């Protein structure tokens, strides 16, 4: 079942449960943190931007998990196969980060000792600016990137958690935003040109359960001379109303059913992230091979809190089928797929 939400309204009922469950192609339900009925420390809000081309990427996060906040800058070099991530934490933020209630308006600005991250939301562009001292080999990182706000469909999903009716995840993924700008570390410049560079926004608001695992994959680029991308994922919440699997072609969304991440295993049964993966779909509309290039991995464990993350960037090759049956063939299409386990 893939239930599309088409009627605007409030995200939550008076009792804090989701008013509507399913997917949409725009952010038509209104999120209000004050309407949440769950414990304040369970609320999690974030804005995550990924900007990349076939050579390198930058990822920026401003995150408010209520008991703590995380501000992160990552640079990933696909050609040289290295990455650097620095993620200062803030404690007991409890919504004080002030993340907007919508992705469509409102700015984000955060700073701490030696760093600052700003997301400006203009009428035609999203502008991402950032600085961090001593980011890599004693050198600072600075960046300014503009993402064109296209009048496109996006992936929006309202997912409940079966464990508690006041727990939910409201999420928007915007793919294929042409990106231009540059990032500098010392004398080295990483230039993003709108002809071959694209940005993705992961906008998340919700109340999460303590333990969960998610799978997420995304890519943006060009196919047949048009912007093409996809969002795939699963692993948490009650997704019986809809999945978050969606293709984007020339600005229009095409809904998929279920997609499986087939991560290879080592001889002792562990996930082998750097061996080739495959992706298969229940409707036969997303069939891909995936050749990993670099695993942006991190593992933190504070006993009661922890996160085991593997965001694997690599090359997708295979087919995707649009709603009208048109088959899109791609080869060596840069994107990522990840598996994340959280205790939070």
């Amino acid at each position: 079942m893939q239930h599309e939400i088409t009627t605007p309204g409030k995200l939550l009922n008076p009792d804090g449960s989701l008013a509507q469950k399913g997917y949409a192609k725009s952010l038509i339900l209104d999120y209000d943190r004050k309407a949440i009925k769950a414990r304040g420390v369970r609320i999690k809000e974030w804005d995550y931007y990924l900007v990349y081309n076939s050579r390198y990427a930058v990822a920026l996060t401003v995150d408010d998990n209520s008991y703590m906040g995380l501000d992160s800058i990552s640079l990933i070099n696909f050609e040289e196969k290295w990455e650097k991530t620095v993620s200062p934490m803030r404690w007991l933020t409890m919504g004080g980060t002030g993340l907007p209630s919508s992705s469509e308006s409102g700015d984000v600005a955060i700073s701490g000792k030696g760093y600052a991250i700003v997301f400006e939301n203009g009428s035609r562009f999203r502008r991402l600016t950032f600085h961090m001292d001593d980011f890599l080999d004693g050198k600072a990182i600075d960046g300014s990137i503009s993402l064109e706000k296209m009048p496109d469909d996006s992936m929006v999903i309202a997912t409940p958690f079966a464990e508690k009716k006041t727990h939910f995840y409201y999420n928007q993924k915007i793919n294929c935003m042409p990106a231009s700008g540059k990032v500098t570390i010392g004398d080295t410049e990483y230039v993003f040109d709108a002809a071959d560079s694209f940005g993705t926004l992961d906008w998340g608001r919700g109340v999460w359960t303590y333990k969960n695992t998610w799978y997420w994959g995304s890519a943006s680029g060009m196919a047949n001379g048009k912007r093409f991308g996809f969002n795939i994922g699963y692993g948490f919440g009650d997704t019986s109303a809809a999945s978050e699997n969606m293709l984007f072609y020339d600005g229009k969304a095409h809904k998929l059913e279920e997609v499986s991440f087939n991560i290879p295993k080592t001889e002792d049964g562990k996930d082998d992230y750097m061996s080739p993966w495959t992706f298969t779909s229940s409707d036969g509309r997303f069939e891909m091979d995936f050749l990993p290039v670099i695993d942006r991995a991190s593992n933190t464990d504070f006993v009661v809190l922890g996160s085991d993350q593997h965001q694997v960037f690599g090359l997708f090759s295979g087919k995707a089928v649009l709603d009208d049956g048109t088959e899109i063939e791609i080869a060596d299409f840069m994107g990522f797929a990840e598996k994340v386990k959280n205790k939070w």
Side-chain angles (χ1 to χ4, degrees):
M1 178 180 179
Q2 301 295 318
H3 173 68
E4 183 176 1
I5 300 169
T6 58
T7 303
K10 294 182 178 180
L11 177 69
L12 300 178
N13 292 315
D15 65 358
S17 63
L18 282 174
Q20 299 186 67
K21 307 173 185 68
Y23 80 94
K25 296 177 182 178
S26 64
L27 206 68
I28 65 174
L29 300 180
D30 297 328
Y31 170 79
D32 180 0
R33 185 185 176 103
K34 296 178 181 178
I36 293 173
K37 300 302 183 184
R39 294 168 56 215
V41 292
R42 303 307 311 154
I43 302 173
K44 305 182 189 305
E45 303 175 325
W46 64 74
D47 285 14
Y48 167 85
Y49 284 94
L50 173 69
V51 182
Y52 74 98
N53 51 39
S54 63
R55 302 174 300 282
Y56 38 75
V58 63
L60 307 168
T61 305
V62 177
D63 176 294
D64 190 323
N65 286 331
S66 295
Y67 61 83
M68 57 83 75
L70 185 83
D71 310 318
S72 183
I73 299 175
S74 296
L75 184 69
I76 306 104
N77 190 312
F78 304 137
E79 294 178 322
E80 299 177 6
K81 294 183 173 56
W82 59 263
E83 68 91 14
K84 176 68 174 181
T85 298
V86 181
S87 304
M89 289 187 180
R90 297 169 285 116
W91 295 104
L92 295 175
T93 49
M94 298 303 292
T97 305
L99 291 170
S101 60
S102 170
S103 68
E104 297 172 358
S105 62
D107 299 338
V108 175
I110 198 72
S111 61
K113 185 177 180 180
Y115 77 94
I117 301 172
V118 179
F119 303 151
E120 295 176 274
N121 210 336
S123 60
R124 293 186 57 243
F125 292 91
R126 301 173 187 270
R127 189 179 182 208
L128 319 177
T129 55
F130 52 95
H131 166 86
M132 184 174 284
D133 294 341
D134 192 15
F135 178 77
L136 180 65
D137 298 331
K139 300 174 183 177
I141 187 171
D142 288 278
S144 178
I145 299 170
S146 292
L147 304 179
E148 189 173 352
K149 294 176 72 171
M150 311 294 284
D152 290 350
D153 292 341
S154 61
M155 193 295 299
V156 176
I157 193 163
T159 303
F161 287 87
E163 296 91 330
K164 291 187 178 181
K165 69 177 183 180
T166 56
H167 284 40
F168 67 90
Y169 182 44
Y170 190 40
N171 180 221
Q172 181 182 37
K173 305 279 181 34
I174 303 177
N175 285 59
C176 302
M177 291 182 284
S180 58
K182 69 178 180 180
V183 176
T184 59
I185 300 179
D187 295 330
T188 304
E189 290 189 347
Y190 300 88
V191 177
F192 295 93
D193 187 310
D196 68 354
S197 303
F198 296 92
T200 297
L201 169 62
D202 172 14
W203 182 92
R205 306 289 187 268
V207 180
W208 284 71
T209 53
Y210 171 58
K211 283 186 179 182
N212 44 70
T213 299
W214 74 60
Y215 299 78
W216 177 34
S218 179
S220 296
M222 300 293 292
N224 303 331
K226 299 183 183 296
R227 287 179 298 130
F228 172 73
F230 54 82
N231 183 84
I232 52 177
Y234 61 97
F236 60 87
D238 178 2
T239 57
S240 58
S243 74
E244 65 174 88
N245 302 314
M246 194 174 281
L247 306 173
F248 306 98
Y249 186 67
D250 197 22
K252 297 299 180 182
H254 302 260
K255 190 69 181 70
L256 304 175
E257 294 183 4
E258 306 302 324
V259 174
S260 296
F261 290 43
N262 304 310
I263 304 173
K265 300 286 186 180
T266 61
E267 290 184 359
D268 58 359
K270 296 180 180 179
D271 290 323
D272 185 4
Y273 292 102
M274 290 304 292
S275 290
W277 306 20
T278 63
F279 294 82
T280 54
S281 53
S282 61
D283 54 13
R285 293 176 54 194
F286 190 86
E287 305 293 322
M288 294 284 169
D289 295 323
F290 179 66
L291 183 63
V293 171
I294 185 171
D295 179 7
R296 191 171 77 93
S298 66
N299 192 345
T300 57
D301 191 349
F302 300 121
V303 184
V304 295
L305 301 175
S307 182
D308 184 5
Q309 305 182 26
H310 291 268
Q311 184 183 35
V312 182
F313 289 86
L315 303 172
F316 288 88
S317 298
K319 72 168 186 177
V321 182
L322 306 183
D323 287 344
D324 64 1
T326 300
E327 209 169 277
I328 306 296
E329 296 278 350
I330 58 173
D332 298 333
F333 197 86
M334 180 61 74
F336 74 86
E338 69 180 29
K339 180 180 179 180
V340 177
K341 294 182 180 179
N342 282 324
K343 296 185 298 183
W344 61 346

